[in-house]
Amino acid sequence: MYIQPSKEYWQGRVDSEKDLLSFRYHQKVSLAELPNLNIDQSKTNKNFGLIGFQCDEGVLRNKGRVGAAEAPDKIKMAMAKLPWHLLEGTNLYDVGNIKCEDEKMEEAQQELGEAIRKLMNTNITPVILGGGHETFYGHYLGIRKSIGPDAKLGMINIDAHFDMRPYDEQPSSGTMFKQILDEDPNCGYFVAGIQPAGNTLSLFETAKEHRVHYLLEEDLTLADIERAKGQLCAFAARHDYIMLTLCMDAVSSAYAPGVSAPSPFGLDPKLVRALIRYIVSSKKLTSFDISEVNPILDDDNRTVVLASHLIHDALVSFHS
């Protein structure tokens, strides 16, 4: 189900109606409806399209705590209040939400993929607001459709979990990377933030069998971030395109309590921000999604607000 974008979520303080340096996101965002995006395609500046994926059917199937379907609109409301720091000529479009209904997760993922393909083919960089991490499979479908079957695609995931569980019975929010690697020989996978307490030994074996590159949470620090950047750079060099996903359960629950699977030993937000800034600066990056924000379980909107700040940082740093 497609839900049209609405100005309802883009409200906030107005410091000036004329001084562009005083503007906030709600004064700059434009609404554009799918499938026929009504935008000026002659523009050569940066164009971003926010699309929500209102789904946590995958989390439910993965026996997690549901509520992430509420995140896209909540994140938009938090972003609306932030000051606009993007370069002159940058255009940000809210293109609405894809909503999963009647447990039809696979159909919703296909619809999300088609929306992302449309954005890519209209010279708009997709920024996807999940939803459970099953969001990523729809994200992948759209990018693969856009770049073609033969291009080498690198998937970078900031996450506490591999999300490579078996999917013999049905896909879920914990299976999509195994699905993709099993289906697509031209894909590679790098995950940063893995926690041994969040993955069985069997999952580590599965990652090894699929030649997954990963960094443990305990080995990721701001003091040693150059080593991580070096590994990410080497991974990107082996691929024609890369795509980025952030699962918010990678962040310490002290800062991100509103997730399906909180992580007491998760990453510091400043480290996550530094990783995002570095990854999105790559000319090979196609798109970005943020998943597993759960407003129902949040404490004083902390996780939602953190997500909005990280998206802001990604937009400011994109291909910088």
Side-chain angles (χ1 to χ4, degrees):
M1 175 182 178
Y2 175 64
I3 300 175
Q4 296 175 344
S6 171
K7 270 291 185 182
E8 173 188 356
Y9 306 111
W10 298 101
Q11 305 293 327
R13 173 176 173 171
V14 176
D15 293 328
S16 173
E17 294 182 353
K18 296 181 179 180
D19 179 12
L20 298 180
L21 298 180
S22 298
F23 276 22
R24 299 175 186 274
Y25 270 81
H26 68 90
Q27 293 171 281
K28 294 290 291 184
V29 71
S30 301
L31 307 185
E33 296 181 13
L34 292 167
N36 300 313
L37 294 167
N38 186 23
I39 66 169
D40 182 359
Q41 294 190 40
S42 66
K43 294 177 180 177
T44 58
N45 297 318
K46 290 183 180 179
N47 298 313
F48 296 100
L50 292 174
I51 181 162
F53 189 59
Q54 294 181 302
C55 178
D56 49 20
E57 171 64 21
V59 175
L60 181 63
R61 295 180 187 182
N62 201 31
K63 300 178 173 57
R65 305 185 299 171
V66 298
E70 306 294 325
D73 292 338
K74 295 292 186 182
I75 294 173
K76 292 176 188 178
M77 292 170 70
M79 286 185 67
K81 300 175 177 62
L82 295 178
W84 179 267
H85 287 178
L86 279 67
L87 293 175
E88 182 179 355
T90 300
N91 303 295
L92 179 64
Y93 301 96
D94 179 354
V95 300
N97 299 332
I98 305 297
K99 184 176 182 178
C100 175
E101 292 189 322
D102 301 322
E103 303 177 359
K104 295 180 180 179
M105 183 184 82
E106 290 82 357
E107 289 88 339
Q109 289 170 324
Q110 291 286 342
E111 188 170 352
L112 176 61
E114 182 57 28
I116 290 169
R117 183 199 65 79
K118 176 66 175 178
L119 291 173
M120 291 284 290
N121 291 354
T122 319
N123 196 34
I124 299 177
T125 298
V127 178
I128 306 100
L129 313 178
H133 212 180
E134 65 268 25
T135 299
F136 184 78
Y137 191 75
H139 181 180
Y140 155 78
L141 290 175
I143 298 303
R144 180 50 87 191
K145 288 177 183 177
S146 177
I147 65 175
D150 298 324
K152 293 187 181 300
L153 177 60
M155 306 178 293
I156 299 178
N157 180 21
I158 302 173
D159 201 338
H161 308 98
F162 285 113
D163 288 337
M164 296 185 68
R165 296 179 184 276
Y167 52 95
D168 301 344
E169 295 183 10
Q170 61 181 354
S172 74
S173 64
T175 65
M176 57 279 174
F177 290 100
K178 188 174 190 303
Q179 289 174 257
I180 294 167
L181 293 174
D182 285 346
E183 298 167 1
D184 191 339
N186 289 321
C187 265
Y189 181 28
F190 188 115
V191 54
I194 287 294
Q195 297 189 33
N199 300 271
T200 63
L201 291 175
S202 175
L203 287 169
F204 277 93
E205 284 299 311
T206 300
K208 182 179 179 180
E209 290 167 7
H210 286 78
R211 299 181 179 179
V212 175
H213 302 266
Y214 65 89
L215 288 168
L216 296 175
E217 169 272 324
E218 60 197 65
D219 294 332
L220 275 169
T221 66
L222 276 171
D224 196 26
I225 195 171
E226 293 306 317
R227 182 172 64 89
K229 287 181 178 180
Q231 293 187 38
L232 286 164
C233 181
F235 177 79
R238 294 191 291 272
H239 297 87
D240 301 314
Y241 301 91
I242 55 175
M243 52 192 298
L244 173 63
T245 177
L246 167 64
C247 184
M248 284 295 287
D249 68 19
V251 182
S252 166
S253 57
Y255 304 99
V259 296
S260 175
S263 301
F265 292 107
L267 300 172
D268 185 287
K270 290 184 178 179
L271 174 61
V272 174
R273 180 177 64 180
L275 289 172
I276 289 173
R277 285 176 173 174
Y278 178 73
I279 296 164
V280 302
S281 69
S282 171
K283 301 295 184 184
K284 293 185 177 183
L285 190 76
T286 61
S287 48
F288 169 55
D289 80 63
I290 189 164
S291 298
E292 299 281 356
V293 174
N294 190 326
I296 293 175
L297 301 173
D298 210 0
D299 178 13
D300 196 29
N301 226 31
R302 284 191 291 161
T303 313
V304 169
V305 170
L306 176 58
S308 72
H309 281 252
L310 292 172
I311 295 166
H312 168 74
D313 266 283
L315 294 176
V316 170
S317 305
F318 213 95
H319 292 180
S320 60

